[in-house]
Amino acid sequence: MDQLFMRLLLYVWSSPGSVIGLIAAILSWCTGGSCRIHTGVLEVSGGFARWVLRNLVLPKGGASAMTLGHVVIAVSRDALNSTRSHERVHVRQYERWGPMFIPAYLACSIWCAIRGRDVYFENPFEKEAFEKEAYAKESA
């Protein structure tokens, strides 16, 4: 019971990001995208999610996937599969940072830009995700 209560608290704590993700999920589903739950995370692909990731994200040329609380949006189902370990690191970051995740992430990107560094690859949140993703691949 304690574990269930803690999971519930983590979902509530990270819910500001998840609400944004749920809006993206609804818009994606309405525009031909698909949704499914995988390991406690709503995964969304195609439709509006594809458009957002190709047009409104930090990396030049777009991104394959993005995490919003307990929702991961991606350009395709293949992208969901190939980015799952990286995006799950971001889910855990949302669980740690809660409503402060998005402001902290953006502040790190701004700080990188001010220092002349890459706003995506030099962002500490991304660096952690890439490191843990690489470790997971090495361990597999």
Side-chain angles (χ1 to χ4, degrees):
M1 186 66 158
D2 290 335
Q3 210 171 25
L4 178 63
F5 181 71
M6 286 306 296
R7 289 290 327 142
L8 180 61
L9 281 179
L10 290 174
Y11 276 89
V12 170
W13 176 241
S14 60
S15 66
S18 298
V19 167
I20 297 167
L22 289 172
I23 292 167
I26 292 166
L27 292 171
S28 297
W29 182 75
C30 289
T31 56
S34 66
C35 302
R36 69 178 178 183
I37 295 176
H38 187 285
T39 59
V41 175
L42 178 61
E43 294 185 336
V44 180
S45 60
F48 178 74
R50 180 180 14 252
W51 182 85
V52 166
L53 292 167
R54 289 194 173 147
N55 297 288
L56 300 179
V57 294
L58 289 174
K60 285 185 177 180
S64 298
M66 180 171 67
T67 301
L68 297 160
H70 283 88
V71 180
V72 175
I73 64 171
V75 296
S76 67
R77 187 162 289 202
D78 287 342
L80 285 169
N81 293 333
S82 66
T83 62
R84 189 167 287 123
S85 63
H86 179 98
E87 298 306 324
R88 288 311 187 269
V89 174
H90 292 312
V91 170
R92 299 300 162 261
Q93 291 169 340
Y94 268 98
E95 290 178 346
R96 263 182 301 190
W97 286 80
M100 294 308 299
F101 178 82
I102 293 173
Y105 186 101
L106 293 174
C108 287
S109 289
I110 291 167
W111 181 246
C112 288
I114 290 168
R115 297 178 64 214
R117 300 189 181 244
D118 189 285
V119 297
Y120 178 72
F121 290 105
E122 294 295 320
N123 185 307
F125 291 101
E126 291 301 335
K127 288 174 84 170
E128 178 186 8
F130 281 116
E131 289 169 8
K132 289 185 177 178
E133 175 186 21
Y135 179 77
K137 286 180 181 176
E138 289 174 5
S139 300

